[in-house]
Amino acid sequence: MNKKRRIALAAGIAPLLVVALPAGPASAHGYVSSPPSRQAQCAAGTVSCGPIKWEPQSVEGPKGLRSCSGGNSQFADLDDDSKGWKVTPVGSTQTFTWRFTARHATSNWQYFANGTKVAEISGGGQQPPAEVSHTVNFGGLKGKQKILAVWNIADTSNAFYACIDVNIG
Ligand SMILES: [Cu+2]
């Protein structure tokens, strides 16, 4: 192969390599869409919020946190219990749906009711589909509860957080 031809080939391949690279900064991840989580309510304009309204899927923080904001000060709105979050009436069990904009391999999903773990579902280290639903049994809990849903990523030290305000009837 002569030199000219080799250069032409390299030039032809380069754009393909760019396209094949994984999506750039991890700016897209996931959140609980139903019942509407606090960040979903921000995104929908149900409650007026700061920058979380533009990226409800981005509440990412180290694993093991128990806050609605995942420790992100720019999303502190989510930790404010007095913002008038819409409370969803539920029964003794309720299905929660996650919407993923980046389908990270999953260690597990956990659900906490006012700090007590009520459910844990394994993700088997696999990539989830674009939407995943879990039916959570609240046991004997009644009344207003702040549910913290956690998505623990398998291949990083991070997790995603979403709080959902419910009233268990
Ligand atoms: Cu992500």
Side-chain angles (χ1 to χ4, degrees), residues 25-30 57-58 60 101-104 151 153 160:
S27 59
H29 330 275
Q57 72 277 5
S58 296
E60 181 174 19
T101 53
R103 301 181 300 123
H104 298 297
W151 176 29
I153 305 306
F160 289 85

